């Protein structure tokens, strides 16, 4: 399911045709929900009662584990 709200930027919608959704079926035990976050498209699912989150990496053209907004921070 792709969640689009009034807060989804128009530019984000133009990225959707470039996103490969085929790998999301194996993300978790339930179908993934895809939604726009501040930094891009994210997919969420549940696997063994835990939340699994991946983010679309535009440059690599693939889903990558999301490590949080501070993942690149030196702290």
């Amino acid at each position: 399911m792709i969640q689009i709200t009034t807060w989804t930027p128009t530019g984000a919608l133009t990225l959707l045709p470039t996103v490969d959704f085929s790998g999301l079926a194996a993300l978790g035990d339930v179908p993934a929900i895809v939604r726009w976050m501040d930094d891009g498209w994210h997919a969420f699912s549940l696997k063994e009662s835990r939340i699994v989150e991946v983010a679309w990496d535009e440059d690599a053209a693939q889903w990558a584990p999301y490590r949080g907004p501070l993942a690149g921070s030196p702290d």
Side-chain angles (χ1 to χ4, degrees):
M1 177 174 105
I2 300 173
Q3 182 182 47
I4 298 172
T5 68
T6 56
W7 298 339
T8 307
T10 304
L13 299 175
T14 62
L15 295 175
L16 281 175
T18 67
V19 177
D20 179 6
F21 297 99
S22 63
L24 293 181
L27 182 62
D29 301 325
V30 297
I33 295 174
V34 177
R35 65 181 294 212
W36 180 262
M37 304 296 283
D38 291 334
D39 60 347
W41 287 105
H42 290 242
F44 303 86
S45 186
L46 291 173
K47 186 165 190 117
E48 298 173 3
S49 300
R50 294 184 157 217
I51 296 172
V52 180
E53 180 179 2
V54 292
W56 179 249
D57 182 335
E58 260 187 276
D59 297 329
Q62 65 183 8
W63 293 100
Y66 182 67
R67 306 208 190 291
L70 302 177
S73 173
D75 294 332

